[in-house]
Amino acid sequence: MEIVTLGGKQIEIDEDGFIQDPDAWDNAVAADLAKTEGVDDLTDDHWKIVNYLREYYLEFSMAPMIRKLCKQTGYSLKEIYDLFPSGPAKGACKVAGLPKPTGCV
Amino acid sequence: MTEGKTRNERKITARDMARRDLKVLDPIGPDELFPLPPPYDKAEEQPGWKELSEKAKANAVCTLDGIATTKLPSPRTPEEEKKYVDQFLEGLKKLLSRENNWEFLQPLTLSLEYCVGCQTCADACHVFMATDRRKEIYRPTYRSDVFRKLVKKYVKPGGQLLAPFTGADVELNWDTITRLYELAYRCHLCRRCAQTCPMGVDNGLIAHEIRKLFSQELGWAPRELHEKGTVLQLEVGSSTGMNPMVLKDNVEFIDEDMQDVTGFSADSPFDKEGAELLLIHNAGEILAWPENPGAFAIILNAAGMDWTLSSHEVGYDGVNYGLFYDDVQLARVAMTHVQIAKKLGVKKIVMGECGHQHKAMMAVADRILGSDAIPRESALTLLEEIVFSGKIEFDPSKNDFPVTLHDPCNIVRNLGIVEPQRRILRYLCPQYREMTPHGVHNYCCGGGSGFAVMSPFNFTDWRINVGSRVKFKQILDAFADQPGPEVKKYLCAPCSNCKGQLRDLLQYYGALERSGITYGGLVELIVNAMVDIKEPFIHWEIR
């Protein structure tokens, strides 16, 4: 594991750049994580997705189904890819401070 | 220290694995790969390969080819290094002993002893082909040769003394074992080499046995396969982290969603005792490709089948990553699947569209289950029966777009299920065409043996550019009559692992936008051809 500075804090990330301690996450951390994903400014559209992922994760301890994410937030998968170039699992979940999704997803 | 050799230097041989003067034995990069057909032939238009940060390099062991799959320990002293080397040696001896490796000792021994070095396998390996057959370390016999020499020198009686005469010239040190570990993860275990070998040597098995040695003796395995794979599956119920409550919530969502789209019942029964069949999906389908389990439900209900899903932990996730690296973990998962089926009193287990699930449950599990066996069937044969039963009305003109089929290695080459899926496609898809070669002679998607779920460090660059190169060319060639994006095409891949890899591949090259290619399973095409569905089931969007 590697320790990096995100949002002014020293935070541990894994081999894929996902933070290890979801509790260390805050808006400033998200903004810095977004930069590692090539997103320099988090717009309201980004936040809507990030917040949904965050809330779902806090309730269910995992990322939601991609189709559920699209349906609940109203963004198509293409729009999510436009916002987070690595896509919902490797991009949006990373910015939202979730661990990397596991299994064949 | 130097960065590695250039191509014109002397050919790399097995003994170079031990070289400590090379930081990287034989670096791989985009300029060593055969060119792809247009419009993917311009290097400057391709995404570049990821540069690892110095910190990441310190964490990863990139000494083989500059690529890393796993965070390995960083020993600080020669004594610490020796500890790992000794563990490796212990494991090597166990692999070659009957009491520790009764399942695979015979094929392993035969593969070690019977290779005549004819190199027929080198013409069969898609990884070696990706480098225009230039990169020695990817030659299928290279890994086996290193392993064979280590066995000769360190396991056979008097091996070290006789080494100068037996040609066993590979030294065992920290660099040898870490390079060998990584090299075991440059093979997809697709076993195309074994299929072509005139002597019956299985180089894929040797790669598998090396992985097993490292997992069982040193605790080294890719995190996605072990800690976040089989361990998570056995603890929580699924390698996706999905517990039974989340599962039911998700399936209910899929059922409603699919019913809205098609107008057909997509209700999925749970834990129905005495049902004819227990369908076990790869749980990744539920999260990432819900149309697949949704389409299964629609087809099984429309055909009036007596079926059920399980909501018992592990019973709703057919994955068995143990197949790729560790027989013990494989046995634990397989036994749990069988126990759940027996407790429900179902007549048989049906494997969803997941290749390695098929192989683990329908072939390897036979060695473990013995008299505990329960009938197991592939979804492909069941679907064939349903499609041709006349119970569902089809209109093949709804699938009037170019379709080609990717053969998942574990279902087709390794189990021999070749025709059922083809009979369905020939009937339901007027523009169905084969890849060249296909069937049991197919090429791996590039995600085989668990690679599709692995993306640490810079490994994604390798698995897309090298692992999938031959497959991508095959896909483009299959659609070469109508290459433009205006013609919408469908790449059918009835396997979750393959789909994950093909998604990443098509996404990486922008093949949906540039060539009009989308991908998906078999059941989606079946539902798309049903006469009474409300709207088309397949869409050419990012998936």
Side-chain angles (χ1 to χ4, degrees):
Chain A
M1 301 287 167
E2 199 178 325
I3 309 277
V4 294
T5 308
L6 294 166
K9 291 193 276 191
Q10 294 292 103
I11 292 179
E12 192 176 41
I13 56 166
D14 70 4
E15 300 90 292
D16 296 278
F18 284 74
I19 65 168
Q20 291 307 285
D21 175 13
D23 293 338
W25 186 89
D26 59 27
N27 289 7
V29 172
D32 277 356
L33 283 167
K35 288 190 185 104
T36 70
E37 282 295 300
V39 179
D40 288 335
D41 285 307
L42 286 174
T43 62
D44 288 349
D45 292 325
H46 290 102
W47 280 115
K48 208 167 148 188
I49 291 163
V50 166
N51 289 334
Y52 175 76
L53 289 172
R54 190 80 204 153
E55 280 158 28
Y56 188 95
Y57 176 74
L58 291 176
E59 190 171 349
F60 298 106
S61 303
M62 65 179 292
M65 291 169 61
I66 293 171
R67 201 174 172 97
K68 203 178 256 184
L69 166 70
C70 294
K71 219 167 175 172
Q72 305 285 355
T73 60
Y75 294 97
S76 71
L77 189 53
K78 181 175 184 320
E79 287 166 332
I80 294 175
Y81 268 98
D82 288 342
L83 292 165
F84 299 94
S86 311
K90 294 185 187 98
C93 284
K94 184 189 284 181
V95 176
L98 274 60
K100 191 189 166 210
T102 57
C104 288
V105 295
Chain B
M1 298 277 251
T2 50
E3 266 300 331
K5 65 184 270 297
T6 60
R7 201 179 294 153
N8 295 327
E9 285 173 35
R10 114 185 135 69
K11 205 169 99 173
I12 283 183
T13 63
R15 69 175 184 181
D16 293 322
M17 286 286 274
R19 281 182 70 170
R20 314 213 75 173
D21 60 325
L22 296 176
K23 236 188 208 171
V24 181
L25 176 60
D26 195 2
I28 178 78
D31 57 337
E32 288 185 276
L33 309 173
F34 73 76
L36 289 168
Y40 306 97
D41 52 339
K42 295 182 189 68
E44 63 278 11
E45 289 177 15
Q46 309 297 344
W49 288 36
K50 187 174 167 185
E51 259 312 309
L52 284 185
S53 70
E54 286 307 314
K55 272 188 190 165
K57 274 187 196 164
N59 273 322
V61 177
C62 311
T63 53
L64 176 72
D65 53 0
I67 306 288
T69 61
T70 312
K71 186 189 175 314
L72 297 179
S74 327
R76 295 212 175 94
T77 61
E79 290 72 35
E80 273 181 53
E81 285 187 357
K82 186 172 178 304
K83 187 188 85 186
Y84 291 111
V85 172
D86 289 346
Q87 283 177 342
F88 174 85
L89 194 54
E90 193 57 33
L92 194 62
K93 288 175 184 158
K94 284 186 185 168
L95 271 192
L96 275 300
S97 75
R98 186 157 301 282
E99 59 272 28
N100 287 296
N101 196 15
W102 53 269
E103 315 99 301
F104 290 110
L105 181 65
Q106 189 188 39
L108 176 63
T109 310
L110 293 176
S111 293
L112 290 176
E113 288 176 1
Y114 279 45
C115 176
V116 294
C118 70
Q119 294 302 325
T120 308
C121 55
D123 287 335
C125 174
H126 62 288
V127 172
F128 195 46
M129 282 170 73
T131 68
D132 261 342
R133 300 187 177 89
R134 285 191 299 228
K135 204 158 191 73
E136 279 305 306
I137 58 169
Y138 297 161
R139 187 184 283 279
T141 51
Y142 181 83
R143 179 187 309 102
S144 305
D145 202 30
V146 171
F147 186 76
R148 195 174 282 121
K149 287 180 167 178
L150 290 174
V151 171
K152 256 189 202 168
K153 186 164 178 176
Y154 295 98
V155 181
K156 302 275 178 198
Q160 299 210 48
L161 209 62
L162 294 170
F165 311 104
T166 59
D169 57 0
V170 183
E171 285 298 316
L172 203 47
N173 62 30
W174 170 255
D175 286 85
T176 313
I177 64 167
T178 48
R179 283 177 179 140
L180 188 61
Y181 172 82
E182 279 296 333
L183 193 53
Y185 289 92
R186 297 297 180 278
C187 164
H188 297 88
L189 312 183
C190 81
R191 301 176 75 229
R192 207 168 184 271
C193 56
Q195 178 183 38
T196 197
C197 176
M199 304 301 289
V201 169
D202 190 342
N203 291 306
L205 176 76
I206 292 177
H208 171 271
E209 294 297 282
I210 297 171
R211 293 181 181 192
K212 184 166 82 185
L213 184 170
F214 279 110
S215 173
Q216 295 190 350
E217 210 58 34
L218 291 92
W220 295 2
R223 198 161 66 112
E224 296 84 346
L225 302 187
H226 184 63
E227 185 191 332
K228 300 290 180 189
T230 54
V231 173
L232 189 63
Q233 185 181 14
L234 290 163
E235 262 173 29
V236 178
S238 164
S239 54
T240 60
M242 192 160 52
N243 64 31
M245 184 193 74
V246 180
L247 165 84
K248 285 191 163 174
D249 189 49
N250 283 341
V251 170
E252 199 178 310
F253 173 85
I254 296 174
D255 290 354
E256 283 172 15
D257 197 31
M258 295 298 140
Q259 207 144 324
D260 283 353
V261 173
T262 62
F264 277 81
S265 159
D267 277 349
S268 300
F270 272 109
D271 308 314
K272 187 174 160 196
E273 285 182 20
E276 189 72 29
L277 61 97
L278 165 65
L279 174 63
I280 307 184
H281 291 294
N282 176 321
E285 297 287 350
I286 292 164
L287 290 163
W289 299 285
E291 305 82 4
N292 188 280
F296 262 103
I298 289 167
I299 294 166
L300 295 176
N301 289 341
M305 303 300 287
D306 177 20
W307 69 291
T308 187
L309 299 175
S310 164
S311 71
H312 191 288
E313 286 88 351
V314 187
Y316 50 87
D317 194 354
V319 310
N320 196 336
Y321 296 157
L323 181 77
F324 305 138
Y325 77 101
D326 195 318
D327 308 336
V328 175
Q329 293 295 84
L330 178 142
R332 287 179 177 140
V333 171
M335 290 302 288
T336 312
H337 284 151
V338 170
Q339 281 160 6
I340 289 166
K342 291 207 158 176
K343 202 165 166 217
L344 278 176
V346 297
K347 304 232 169 32
K348 64 183 168 192
I349 301 175
V350 171
M351 317 290 135
E353 293 188 11
C354 171
H356 85 276
Q357 174 191 14
H358 274 71
K359 172 80 188 297
M361 216 31 195
M362 293 176 68
V364 185
D366 272 346
R367 291 165 182 252
I368 302 159
L369 298 174
S371 58
D372 270 343
I374 178 167
R376 288 144 282 156
E377 183 179 358
S378 166
L380 303 183
T381 50
L382 178 74
L383 290 167
E384 182 194 16
E385 206 181 296
I386 293 173
V387 165
F388 290 99
S389 68
K391 288 177 182 162
I392 301 175
E393 211 183 330
F394 294 107
D395 173 6
S397 72
K398 291 184 162 195
N399 281 343
D400 196 10
F401 41 81
V403 174
T404 194
L405 174 66
H406 164 68
D407 288 297
C409 302
N410 279 320
I411 297 178
V412 183
R413 176 167 31 259
N414 291 334
L415 276 180
I417 304 171
V418 183
E419 278 297 309
Q421 60 274 40
R422 291 185 153 74
R423 282 193 280 267
I424 294 170
L425 291 172
R426 283 186 216 115
Y427 169 36
L428 295 181
C429 303
Q431 297 191 51
Y432 172 61
R433 74 275 312 280
E434 292 283 6
M435 292 190 201
T436 309
H438 58 264
V440 295
H441 297 290
N442 77 319
Y443 288 109
C444 168
C445 62
S449 79
F451 291 0
V453 301
M454 290 162 54
S455 56
F457 303 112
N458 51 5
F459 187 61
T460 303
D461 286 332
W462 190 90
R463 70 177 167 91
I464 302 285
N465 283 282
V466 183
S468 284
R469 199 163 203 83
V470 171
K471 178 53 66 179
F472 190 42
K473 181 170 186 310
Q474 266 199 302
I475 296 166
L476 296 173
D477 287 350
F479 293 129
D481 56 331
Q482 292 158 306
E486 65 288 352
V487 178
K488 302 301 176 211
K489 312 166 183 84
Y490 190 90
L491 167 59
C492 175
C495 167
S496 316
N497 196 79
C498 301
K499 277 194 296 194
Q501 177 72 10
L502 296 169
R503 170 192 59 203
D504 293 356
L505 170 73
L506 298 177
Q507 182 77 23
Y508 183 89
Y509 290 110
L512 174 62
E513 299 79 13
R514 300 170 87 182
S515 303
I517 304 172
T518 193
Y519 72 99
L522 178 64
V523 282
E524 292 90 322
L525 283 168
I526 297 175
V527 170
N528 198 54
M530 285 169 64
V531 167
D532 295 322
I533 54 164
K534 283 201 302 205
E535 45 189 281
F537 196 69
I538 292 171
H539 301 277
W540 277 265
E541 298 166 346
I542 286 182
R543 298 188 63 209

